[in-house]
Amino acid sequence: TSIHHLCMMYITLVSFPCNIEYKAMPLVDDAAEERIRTLVHTFYARIREDDVLGPIFNGHIGDEWEPHLQKMCDFWSSILYATGRFNGNPIRAHAQLPDIRSQHFDRWIEMFTEVAYETMPEPEADDVARRALRMRVVLESHLPIAQEA
């Protein structure tokens, strides 16, 4: 009878009318989105001025900072709260930067973690720092990291 019950459930599901609109429920509140925005904007303001990372980011992004900042807010919202707003491929984006070295990732992690703890509550900053480290590992494993000079 359990097979019969499962078959009946399947028939009920596939015959259910499909003209119902489903709206995604927000998985994150406005305050969390504002913390992400603060994190991203604070971090990239510092990046622009940094002696190590500034030339790389400024050279690649040029005058297109606003679209980049929005994309990064969408990325972190998607990573932290599964909002699904980010549409892109971080590996492909970073592959366009052939001179990235491990020291650049070191500096990025150092600065990003510092800003996370300055702008977010500790449990959230812990999560952000862990995910950033994981992202570094993924990027470094997929990119041809330039050897130190």
Side-chain angles (χ1 to χ4, degrees), residues 86-101:
F86 178 75
N87 182 17
N89 184 324
I91 294 169
R92 188 176 306 133
H94 288 85
Q96 298 174 22
L97 306 169
D99 294 329
I100 294 179
R101 296 189 167 98

Side-chain angles (χ1 to χ4, degrees), residues 38-48 108 111-112 115:
T38 300
L39 167 72
V40 167
H41 284 253
T42 302
F43 173 68
Y44 283 104
R46 291 185 191 174
I47 285 285
R48 291 165 131 172
W108 186 91
M111 292 178 69
F112 193 76
V115 173

Side-chain angles (χ1 to χ4, degrees), residues 21-60:
E21 280 189 39
Y22 293 97
K23 296 193 180 194
M25 296 297 291
L27 300 173
V28 58
D29 61 17
D30 290 341
E33 288 288 357
E34 185 57 34
R35 286 191 303 276
I36 290 170
R37 186 180 188 292
T38 300
L39 167 72
V40 167
H41 284 253
T42 302
F43 173 68
Y44 283 104
R46 291 185 191 174
I47 285 285
R48 291 165 131 172
E49 303 299 320
D50 187 68
D51 292 338
V52 175
L53 298 177
I56 295 169
F57 279 85
N58 289 321
H60 185 69

